[in-house]
Amino acid sequence: MKKEISYENLRNIPETEYIIIDIRDESAFEYGHIHNSVNIPHNDILSAELPHDKKLIICCRSGIISHDVADVLCEKGLDAYNLTGGYVEWLRKKLTDRQITEDVEKSLRKKFKKSIWCKFTKAINEYKLVNPHDRIAVCISGGKDSMLMAKLFQELKHHDKFPFDVEFLVMNPGYSPENLEIIKNNAESMSIPINIFESDIFESVFNIEKNPCYICARMRRGYLYSKAKELGCNKIALGHHFDDVIETILMGMLYGGQVQTMMPKLHSTNFEGMELIRPMYLIRENDIKHWRDYNDLHFIQCACKFTDTCTTCEPDGRSVSKRMEIKNLIAELVKNNPQVEKNIFRSVQNVNLNTIIAYKDSDGVHNFLDEYE
C-alpha cells in the first residue's frame, strides 16, 4: 500500500507521534540530515527492530529508494510513509529565501579564526599560493569544503593586502535540477556570486563500468581549467583539506605501493600557464564540519544525479571504500596516538634519500646501489 507524506504535512503532526528514519549510508547522514532523524542504512532497515506505535517516516536522498522501503514495511504491518522528495527536497525548502551572509562571515572572523581562517592564510603564505595580480577561479562543487573556500577567498579580498581577482566558478556536469537549485540557494544565501557553465560529463561517464568516478573527476578538472583560462584566470583553486592530504598519502602507500602526496600547488601539464592551488591544505575536516553545523548550513554531499542508483558514489563503491577504510584506520590509530595525523603529514616533509632503496624523478629511477660503493 503506497503511503506518502510531504515535509509540510509532517510539520502538522506532533513530533511524539512519528520518527524520521534516514536510510542513506552513514557518511551521507553525517554530512547532513533532517533534525531529529535517526540513521538506519538501507541494508539494515528491514531487519531492524522498529516501533509499532509510531508513524515511520522513511527518508532517502530523493524519495526513490525510500518509496520501496516504506511499501515493504507497510506489508509487514508497520505504519510507514515515504517522505516525498527525500532529504534533497527538505534541504531545498530550508534554503529558500535564507540570508546568512553576515553570520557566516562573522563566524570566520571570530569563532573560527584560529581553526580555519589562520590555517587558510598560513597555507597561502607558506606555499605562496596567491600572488599580486592573480586571477583565481574558485571552483565550487556545492559541498561544504568548496563553499567554505569561497567565503574564505571573499574574506581575503576584504583584507585587500594586495590586488588579485576571483571568479566563483560552478560547472554543471549534469546535476539534477534539485541539486543545482540547492547550490544556487546556498550561494545566494551567503552572497557568493557564482558563474555557472554547462557540460555533459555525467552522461559521458554513465555507461563506463571501470572507475567512472575517477574518469569523471579528471574530465571535470579539464573543463574547469578550460573555462578558467577562457575567463582570463591563471589559477584554479580546489577545496581539498588536511584530511584529504593524509588519507592520500596512506592510500598511495597501502594500495598504490608508492610514496606520494597531494601537493599544495602544481602546474597544469595540459593548460599552459595555468596552476592548481589548494588553499584549504592545512584545515581539518572536523573544523569544517563544526563551521557548517554552527551556522546551520546544509550542503549536498554528492551532486551526481545518479547517486541514488550509482553504487560508485556509495561507500561500497571501490574507490570510495578504500578512502573510507583509510579514514577509519587513521581514526583507530589516533585513539592510541593523537600525533598520528601530524606524523603522517610530516613524513612527506622529512624524506631522507639516504634511507630510501629507490626513488624516481624527472631524470628517471635512482637506486641506492648506484652510489653505494
Side-chain angles (χ1 to χ4, degrees), residues 4-6 59-64 66 82-90 178:
E4 301 269 345
I5 190 168
S6 67
C59 169
C60 69
R61 175 182 171 272
S62 56
I64 297 175
S66 56
N82 177 45
L83 184 62
T84 307
Y87 174 71
V88 167
E89 179 63 13
W90 171 84
E178 298 86 358

Side-chain angles (χ1 to χ4, degrees), residues 2 51 90 134 145 156 208 355:
K2 180 180 178 180
W90 171 84
D134 275 343
D145 307 325
L156 191 64
I208 297 177
T355 65

